Amino acid sequence: MTGPRDPAGPLLGAHAAADGVRFAVWSGAAERIWLSLFDKKGMRETDRLEMRSDGDRIFSLSVAGLKAGQRYGLRADGAYAPERGLWFDPDKLLVDPYAIEIDGPYAYDARLGARRGEGGDTAPLVPKAFVASPPPPVRRKPLGLAPDGLIYELNVRAFTKLHPAIPEDIRGTVAALGHPAIIDHLLKLGVGAVELMPIIAWIDERHLPPLGLRNAWGYNPVSFMAIEPRLAPGGLAELRAAVDALHAAGIGVILDLVFNHTGESDVFGPTLSMRGIDARTYYRHDGDGSLVNDTGTGNTVDCSQPMVQRLVLDALRHFVRHAGVDGFRFDLATVLGRTEHGFDPQAPMLAALASDPVLADTVLIAEPWDIGPGGYQLGNFPGRFLEWNDRYRDDMRRFWRGDASTLGALATRLAGSSDVFRRNGERVTRTVNFVAAHDGMTLADTCAFSEKHNEANGEDNRDGHNENFSWNNGVEGGSDDAVIAERRVRDARALLATLFLSRGAIMLSAGDEFGRTQRGNNNAYAQDNELTWLDWRGRDVALEAYAFALAAIRKASPVLGDAAFLAGETDGGVADVAWLDEAGVPLSVEQWEDPGRRHLTMVLASGTRSGGRLAVVVNGGDEGVSFRLPLRDEFRWRRLQPGGQERAEADWTVAARSVAIAVEETSGGGKGSR
């Protein structure tokens, strides 16, 4: 069956049985809908059969003799008045919203956006859906993300395209994710779950082909259930095999999904699926009939509509049941909570996601903003959701850039961002901390470019964020100066260290652990080339080793595995957190408010008399600083040196613009050492 069974109503999609196939599609506005059947190559339409509507506006038809593998599409007729959200045109072949497999990628053609009667039959331009039966449901053993879990964001194609250990025939595909070389790298980083940038079938934006560019990220979907054929030629079975291989290594899989807009875009965009079936239901419209554009892409999916909610839930259930995925990240997730009155954390779509029994043990992550009115909603999603924390990214970058009066923000972010996530009395942070993501400067570029450099995107550098809180260490971009190179590596290490030593979930963008660069391009969505493909042969192996060492420290520290908010109170004789100056005494109000102060020590504890405290010493200044740590009888401090030998006990100087780490352990009696 093409769509998973939903108890809310009859099955939608195409469902094969012993005697044939039943097809069903919902439309609240269509007057007539036809089923178009195609030959084995998908080139010739062999039949066009009218579907019948029941009282619930479901158009259905059973066709005897058909089997799995049959190619098909839909056509719909009704009023044509785009200014009122009505786009019916039987010349437009439409892909079933419940299709789980299509026979090729989407490709833009101006005829797909032609007005009714002007573009001709679009069947030669549109992929055909297959009648397909998904594999039996997975017997799941959920790999829940730990409170300190590391999420590894990756673009399947860019991540594996140039990896020398992966066979060439699977490079750039989902199948490559199950290769032992990939899994070994993920295990060394301590990855709890990979977050796959969109793998659902998408279409390139119409302005890209004339520029010789194509969409590399996939954030322009058409089908919500069909996997992009170029990324997974083996379809759902290929994804399931990769999930199985990652699960066997203890690594979860999170899908980054886009339910906020589709590639049908604005009034000039192509008619491919939902627009031609019932645009007024699937997309939000203003009172005058024009498309709402809260996403900046030309349209906005209307998640307040029951049939849209059903489609979204069915898609999520499909990937959980039949591919075994562990969770989802929702792009521009504010759209999911939009009602006619604005964002509502109790909106039906969000409530359904949080309460659905099939999704009960999955990880849900919100990107908590869109560009519509009141679109920035960081901290306001329901408690089931983790949230991307851009405040963390910006504050960490501002501190390491050297901005004044950033010490307090640094401490707040290290401690789990209680100012954002404790608003409703919550006891555990829901932050996803990150210093770089797919959208924006890479971690290495943050230390090498003061400005964005998006000229390759063909928009005269107008696209992408203008403020990146980045710095170049003296020269913009590439430099052969050894001193500048050393400074940039030092800053990259500092950013990695603060990320790995922060409370809450953390996210690392693939390749940032070994210095990937996009040469200052902070919006590389259209660069499906070596600008975004990870350079595995040229990676910075020393920086990579440093990241591996940080991962080991994080994994070994019980206090970093606790996502509860810090109180600073004493329980059992030891405070759960202490904020100290370089002399080892609590920071005073004057020190906190000193705009030029660039260093502090955070000492974390479990709140008991036992050992295991962790000290994180941050020196954001341009000179080395000596520091002391608080001593307790029968304990000593041992300094760690990520990526190298442990420092001698007498060496308690933290180099400029760096982070030092020390752990408390039993000294065997007597007064502890410094």
Side-chain angles (χ1 to χ4, degrees):
M1 64 182 182
T2 300
R5 181 177 297 276
D6 186 320
L11 291 173
L12 297 174
H15 303 271
D19 57 349
V21 178
R22 178 182 181 273
F23 300 86
V25 61
W26 182 92
S27 176
E31 296 172 6
R32 302 174 71 184
I33 295 182
W34 293 269
L35 170 70
S36 288
L37 300 177
F38 291 85
D39 63 12
K40 291 182 178 181
K41 294 184 178 180
M43 301 299 294
R44 183 174 63 88
E45 187 174 5
T46 59
D47 284 291
R48 188 177 301 188
L49 308 171
E50 187 161 3
M51 305 172 77
R52 302 298 179 187
S53 173
D54 64 14
D56 294 324
R57 302 296 298 173
I58 291 178
F59 292 76
S60 64
L61 180 67
S62 294
V63 184
L66 297 186
K67 299 178 180 179
Q70 173 67 51
R71 285 175 164 88
Y72 75 99
L74 304 170
R75 300 178 187 270
D77 199 5
Y80 183 80
E83 69 279 2
R84 294 190 287 119
L86 299 168
W87 295 81
F88 294 108
D89 180 357
D91 283 343
K92 299 290 194 300
L93 186 73
L94 308 172
V95 177
D96 184 355
Y98 274 76
I100 65 169
E101 188 176 351
I102 57 178
D103 66 358
Y106 291 96
Y108 178 77
D109 188 292
R111 289 171 289 177
L112 296 168
R115 294 183 62 84
R116 179 168 176 152
E118 298 179 1
D121 186 2
T122 64
L125 309 175
V126 178
K128 315 306 182 293
F130 284 110
V131 175
S133 297
V138 175
R139 298 182 64 179
R140 296 181 68 238
K141 184 178 181 181
L143 293 173
L145 190 69
D148 63 335
L150 169 58
I151 300 166
Y152 191 71
E153 183 196 38
L154 66 87
N155 178 304
V156 169
R157 180 168 167 81
F159 184 60
T160 63
K161 182 65 176 175
L162 299 180
H163 199 298
I166 295 175
E168 289 190 18
D169 61 332
I170 63 169
R171 289 181 187 175
T173 71
V174 169
L177 298 178
H179 192 276
I182 294 297
I183 291 177
D184 179 65
H185 183 79
L186 298 175
L187 290 175
K188 288 178 180 177
L189 271 176
V191 172
V194 293
E195 181 178 297
L196 308 185
M197 288 170 60
I199 62 170
I200 305 308
W202 73 81
I203 188 170
D204 291 352
E205 292 81 353
R206 63 180 179 269
H207 72 279
L208 294 181
L211 297 172
L213 301 173
R214 59 185 182 185
N215 192 306
W217 286 355
Y219 291 97
N220 203 38
V222 178
S223 302
F224 288 166
M225 297 188 191
I227 300 176
E228 172 57 52
R230 292 169 293 184
L231 290 184
L236 188 65
E238 182 172 334
L239 173 61
R240 180 161 171 169
V243 171
D244 287 346
L246 289 161
H247 279 182
I251 300 168
V253 178
I254 296 169
L255 298 186
D256 188 346
L257 295 178
V258 182
F259 295 124
N260 59 75
H261 79 280
T262 78
E264 291 182 305
S265 189
D266 57 19
V267 294
F268 302 107
T271 296
L272 295 164
S273 182
M274 293 186 284
R275 169 176 285 174
I277 293 170
D278 189 344
R280 288 197 303 195
T281 292
Y282 284 108
Y283 302 114
R284 294 184 62 225
H285 291 77
D286 281 327
D288 62 1
S290 61
L291 286 162
V292 170
N293 188 18
D294 288 337
T295 62
T297 62
N299 65 45
T300 304
V301 173
D302 191 350
C303 291
S304 68
Q305 295 284 350
M307 290 308 298
V308 175
Q309 295 165 22
R310 176 177 174 181
L311 175 60
V312 170
L313 288 170
D314 281 352
L316 300 178
R317 295 167 183 150
H318 170 68
F319 288 115
V320 170
R321 286 169 170 155
H322 300 294
V325 303
D326 303 284
F328 305 94
R329 181 260 188 189
F330 300 100
D331 183 65
L332 299 185
T334 300
V335 168
L336 278 66
R338 281 198 177 275
T339 69
E340 61 181 0
H341 305 296
F343 177 79
D344 182 356
Q346 303 304 318
M349 182 78 265
L350 294 178
L353 290 171
S355 62
D356 188 85
V358 177
L359 308 179
D361 54 14
T362 60
V363 178
L364 305 180
I365 303 173
E367 181 184 41
W369 51 78
D370 62 25
I371 67 168
Y376 189 74
Q377 294 294 332
L378 179 65
N380 294 330
F381 277 72
R384 267 294 309 279
F385 288 81
L386 300 177
E387 299 183 33
W388 269 29
N389 188 352
D390 65 325
R391 292 272 299 278
Y392 181 98
R393 175 199 63 199
D394 293 349
D395 285 342
M396 284 299 175
R397 290 187 179 189
R398 290 178 61 235
F399 175 82
W400 287 111
R401 186 171 67 172
D403 291 12
S405 302
T406 53
L407 192 73
L410 169 76
T412 301
R413 303 297 157 238
L414 283 170
S417 295
S418 61
D419 60 329
V420 174
F421 296 105
R422 207 174 191 175
R423 296 172 183 168
N424 299 314
E426 295 175 274
R427 301 180 64 183
V428 177
T429 185
R430 296 184 293 106
T431 184
V432 176
N433 301 315
F434 64 100
V435 291
H438 70 271
D439 187 7
M441 293 279 191
T442 69
L443 186 145
D445 287 354
T446 299
C447 317
F449 294 88
S450 293
E451 307 291 339
K452 65 180 182 179
H453 295 271
N454 298 356
E455 292 81 5
N457 297 349
E459 299 182 45
D460 296 324
N461 206 33
R462 293 189 302 269
D463 61 309
H465 294 295
N466 291 320
E467 178 52 83
N468 297 277
F469 302 106
S470 60
W471 61 100
N472 63 23
N473 274 294
V475 174
E476 188 74 357
S479 173
D480 294 328
D481 189 311
V483 174
I484 290 175
E486 188 279 329
R487 288 174 178 170
R488 289 174 175 175
V489 171
R490 173 201 62 191
D491 288 351
R493 290 188 174 211
L495 286 166
L496 283 172
T498 45
L499 177 65
F500 274 86
L501 297 170
S502 296
R503 286 172 78 87
I506 64 173
M507 185 183 77
L508 186 67
S509 190
D512 279 349
E513 69 273 22
F514 52 71
R516 74 181 178 106
T517 178
Q518 292 175 175
R519 298 196 290 274
N521 192 321
N522 75 348
N523 189 33
Y525 77 101
Q527 301 298 323
D528 184 14
N529 49 50
E530 292 189 1
L531 184 70
T532 57
W533 300 345
L534 269 62
D535 181 7
W536 289 91
R537 295 185 187 275
R539 70 191 191 277
D540 184 339
V541 294
L543 183 63
E544 180 184 64
Y546 183 78
F548 290 162
L550 287 171
I553 291 171
R554 183 175 177 85
K555 183 177 181 180
S557 173
V559 294
L560 290 174
D562 187 348
F565 288 116
L566 297 166
E569 299 172 353
T570 297
D571 181 14
V574 181
D576 60 1
V577 66
W579 302 101
L580 311 175
D581 65 11
E582 55 274 26
V585 299
L587 285 161
S588 66
V589 173
E590 291 76 16
Q591 288 174 312
W592 279 116
E593 295 179 349
D594 179 357
R597 172 164 275 274
R598 309 293 306 148
H599 39 263
L600 62 71
T601 298
M602 174 179 70
V603 179
L604 296 173
S606 61
T608 69
R609 283 289 299 171
S610 64
R613 288 195 296 175
L614 179 78
V616 177
V617 186
V618 177
N619 178 13
D622 293 326
E623 302 290 340
V625 59
S626 295
F627 68 97
R628 291 179 176 271
L629 294 176
L631 303 176
R632 295 193 295 162
D633 289 344
E634 301 179 2
F635 295 99
R636 64 187 289 272
W637 288 99
R638 178 168 57 90
R639 182 170 176 178
L640 306 180
Q641 180 70 2
Q645 298 297 318
E646 294 180 8
R647 292 285 185 92
E649 291 183 12
D651 187 356
W652 294 95
T653 299
V654 182
R657 300 182 62 77
S658 68
V659 178
I661 310 163
V663 293
E664 187 182 53
E665 59 187 13
T666 303
S667 64
K671 193 70 174 178
S673 60
R674 201 181 158 196

